[in-house]
Amino acid sequence: MRSQRLVRPAPALARLARGVPAAFCALVVLAACSDSDPTSSGASSAKNASAPAAPGSSGASSGASSGAPHDGATAAPKKPNILLVSIDTLRADALEPWGATRPTSPTIARLASESWVFENAYAQAGVTAPSHMSLLTSLYPTVHGISNLSVSGKERAEKDDEHAQAIRLDPKVKTLAAVLAEHGWRTAGFTSGGNLSSELGFAQGFHEYGDAPTAGVNGNAGPWFDPSAVADWLAKPRTQPFFVFVHTWIPHMPYLPKPPWDSAFDPDYSGPIVSSRAAFDALGGNVGDAVVPDTPLRGVDRNDPAATNHVRALYDGDVRYADEALGDLLGVFETAGVLDDTIVVVVSDHGEQFLEHGAFGHPGELWTYLVHVPLIIRLPSREARRFDARVRLIDVMPTLLELVDVAPPAELQGRSLLPLLEGTLPDEPTISEIVTRWKYDGVHKAPQRLVRSIRVGEWTYVKREFFNMKNEELYDRSTDPGEQTNLWGRRKDFADVLKRLRDIDAKHEAACQELSARFVGTQAEVSDETLKEIGKLGYVR
């Protein structure tokens, strides 16, 4: 028989009571009064990840079966569910709530109208794997150690024992899924692998984690986006609240949106760029001299406005396709009768560039349009607010934990955003970083090739390190919002600014080195299948 407990009001509840409507507060109070349901931090994966499966889980190729609830589960779900949706490669200004002039995002616009919208959210990396791991752990990339996979990375590691092909997340790291599982949530991830493969540790903390390349949520290759696996999972009987993470590769390259969006924004184009999935698939992988909207956009005449405008039109069509896919996914939750009891978070891992710095895609840089991403949080109360403060993806995990009144792990590097409700969140530097080469021996890890950006006020500082060489850049976004003019040549004029930014960098690096030593990770065993899939997405170098 359950023992009765006296529950004291937590700080989160007090803040919520002041800033959030009563309907949502009731859900959180119920969460505080319900029994905890600790679980294993492992997951059942489509690729048989080495993390141990949680009791009752069996796994499936597309993402999961629910398994039996644990002993001691509450009789009815009293805690709010959480749905975290990541739309890959979605730059914020491609969306209507962020100023897009094309009708790219009616679903996201409707969602934003009844949500908290964070207008200036920044990713902690400009590429997929490290950015997502920072989102799911609230740790910086130089701490968690996860980097994008690449075909050449494997070849380089085979020739050099000192450098890891890839590092797998340290099992001591408490992911968002692990923390929620320990407190009674059933956790499931629906991805299609690649740079979110369980081989990198992304399954850590999930009861079930589907990462098969052909999973219906891929949307970018193979079948069109299909949330049937999520619907099947939701249909399973359960007595626990859930945390569901869904990642789709739309609108990542190749830009081949679902009709009619493949021609919606440039219907009169008649040039050589392959613009439909059917035409692309007909090539059968033998691209030859064909001009395709794929990495590195080979054959596209960058001096031809018709060609470059068409590439952007295809991307925006893919954004509209992603928006449509999000609508389908939310419809699954509505049909299951759980949407109104679910916190919905929509985010992206990074943006995309269209020749702003002379290139297409996201080639390991940290320019604003590559790290400025959408962030929307819809509460069951559907309270609508917009915040213009600069926030970070590492803040998502502590924010969600405070919303459901769960204490965060002490090592988190992000912070809850709930103080924004009262306007009491102090400014902090916005830091992003990418490590493309690690020195790793299983006991220590150290970045060998690093780019880091720090944004404070209107200033952007960029540091590039390659072994013992260092390069610094400085941009004043008040007069140069596109970060085009490097002021390093005039550094004597900005000595005070540079000193401040270097001090921030040194403090950040010291803190990350201390945490990194606690979370060394393990050597990842990356399959040829995973490398094949990331090769299709352009991750070759």
Side-chain angles (χ1 to χ4, degrees):
M1 183 171 64
R2 280 182 63 183
S3 61
Q4 293 184 342
R5 294 177 295 157
L6 177 63
V7 179
R8 293 181 294 177
L13 301 185
R15 183 179 290 133
L16 287 167
R18 292 192 296 272
V20 183
F24 181 68
C25 289
L27 280 172
V28 179
V29 171
L30 284 168
C33 295
S34 64
D35 284 340
S36 64
D37 181 28
T39 66
S40 163
S41 64
S44 172
S45 165
K47 291 185 180 178
N48 299 317
S50 60
S57 68
S58 58
S61 61
S62 63
S65 58
S66 70
H70 296 168
D71 293 339
T74 54
K78 299 297 186 183
K79 306 173 185 179
N81 307 308
I82 301 173
L83 168 63
L84 173 57
V85 182
S86 174
I87 302 173
D88 208 284
T89 320
L90 182 57
R91 58 187 280 171
D93 64 7
L95 300 172
E96 293 167 76
W98 278 264
T101 56
R102 285 172 170 161
T104 58
S105 44
T107 299
I108 290 174
R110 285 193 298 271
L111 187 70
S113 71
E114 54 188 32
S115 302
W116 295 349
V117 176
F118 298 88
E119 297 173 350
N120 290 295
Y122 282 75
Q124 271 48 76
V127 291
T128 300
S131 182
H132 276 103
M133 195 58 84
S134 289
L135 170 69
L136 296 172
T137 64
S138 190
L139 299 174
Y140 281 99
T142 49
V143 174
H144 61 61
I146 307 306
S147 296
N148 263 14
L149 297 170
S150 70
V151 176
S152 64
K154 179 179 181 180
E155 296 170 350
R156 184 168 57 244
E158 289 172 346
K159 298 177 182 178
D160 183 355
D161 291 338
E162 288 188 351
H163 295 89
Q165 174 194 350
I167 297 172
R168 182 188 175 99
L169 185 66
D170 194 291
K172 296 189 296 296
V173 172
K174 292 287 189 180
T175 66
L176 175 59
V179 175
L180 290 172
E182 289 174 354
H183 287 82
W185 274 259
R186 189 72 183 176
T187 57
F190 298 85
T191 77
S192 51
N195 276 312
L196 278 86
S197 171
S198 56
E199 295 165 353
L200 293 176
F202 277 99
Q204 198 157 303
F206 286 98
H207 292 97
E208 298 110 310
Y209 188 83
D211 59 354
T214 55
V217 295
N218 185 317
N220 180 274
W224 301 115
F225 182 88
D226 179 4
S228 296
V230 183
D232 292 344
W233 189 86
L234 289 174
K236 305 278 187 178
R238 66 179 50 82
T239 58
Q240 299 165 272
F242 59 75
F243 165 57
V244 170
F245 169 59
V246 178
H247 168 263
T248 180
W249 283 106
I250 322 166
H252 194 285
M253 289 183 183
Y255 311 138
L256 296 168
K258 186 177 182 179
W261 313 122
D262 52 352
S263 59
F265 299 131
D266 195 9
D268 298 326
Y269 178 77
S270 58
I273 300 175
V274 175
S275 303
S276 73
R277 177 80 69 84
F280 183 80
D281 289 345
L283 297 173
N286 298 313
V287 174
D289 294 329
V291 182
V292 298
D294 197 358
T295 304
L297 286 169
R298 48 188 163 231
V300 174
D301 185 349
R302 303 183 181 197
N303 296 313
D304 179 7
T308 57
N309 290 339
H310 187 62
V311 169
R312 182 57 195 259
L314 288 174
Y315 172 80
D316 286 343
D318 237 0
V319 172
R320 181 59 184 262
Y321 168 35
D323 182 85
E324 182 181 276
L326 176 63
D328 292 343
L329 178 65
L330 295 177
V332 162
F333 283 76
E334 187 169 23
T335 299
V338 296
L339 186 59
D340 288 340
D341 300 320
T342 301
I343 300 170
V344 178
V345 183
V346 176
V347 70
S348 183
D349 56 339
H350 59 78
E352 193 78 320
Q353 65 178 353
F354 295 92
L355 300 181
E356 291 93 339
H357 279 81
F360 290 106
H362 45 280
E365 294 288 350
L366 296 169
W367 309 119
T368 291
Y369 47 81
L370 290 174
V371 291
H372 180 207
V373 294
L375 173 59
I376 296 172
I377 300 178
R378 199 205 76 163
L379 304 178
S381 63
R382 303 194 181 191
E383 181 199 32
R385 295 187 66 170
R386 295 183 74 95
F387 304 96
D388 62 4
R390 199 155 46 227
V391 302
R392 307 160 300 178
L393 291 195
I394 56 171
D395 299 328
V396 171
M397 178 176 173
T399 300
L400 289 175
L401 292 178
E402 185 171 7
L403 279 171
V404 298
D405 206 44
V406 171
E411 65 269 13
L412 301 193
Q413 294 182 285
R415 56 183 178 167
S416 171
L417 299 176
L418 294 193
L420 279 175
L421 296 171
E422 301 168 334
T424 59
L425 189 72
D427 289 337
E428 280 199 3
T430 304
I431 301 174
S432 307
E433 54 193 25
I434 300 174
V435 180
T436 54
R437 194 170 184 180
W438 291 93
K439 186 174 183 179
Y440 181 77
D441 60 6
V443 179
H444 305 93
K445 66 178 187 284
Q448 297 289 285
R449 179 178 286 176
L450 165 76
V451 56
R452 177 179 293 141
S453 65
I454 299 175
R455 290 175 173 82
V456 176
E458 297 302 321
W459 294 99
T460 299
Y461 170 78
V462 178
K463 181 178 77 171
R464 304 174 190 276
E465 291 184 341
F466 182 56
F467 292 92
N468 295 322
M469 296 181 289
K470 182 170 78 171
N471 180 56
E472 296 173 285
E473 301 168 23
L474 181 67
Y475 302 90
D476 180 0
R477 296 192 317 282
S478 66
T479 57
D480 179 24
E483 298 165 336
Q484 297 284 336
T485 303
N486 182 7
L487 299 175
W488 182 250
R490 296 171 51 198
R491 57 189 175 276
K492 291 182 179 179
D493 298 335
F494 306 105
D496 291 343
V497 172
L498 271 173
K499 181 182 186 305
R500 180 187 176 197
L501 292 166
R502 284 170 170 166
D503 287 347
I504 292 170
D505 178 57
K507 182 179 179 181
H508 170 79
E509 191 155 305
C512 287
Q513 285 176 351
E514 180 180 357
L515 268 179
S516 179
R518 293 167 52 189
F519 303 126
V520 176
T522 60
Q523 174 74 55
E525 299 295 332
V526 182
S527 67
D528 290 339
E529 178 188 12
T530 297
L531 291 174
K532 179 180 178 181
E533 291 304 316
I534 64 171
K536 291 179 182 177
L537 291 166
Y539 297 106
V540 177
R541 292 185 299 167

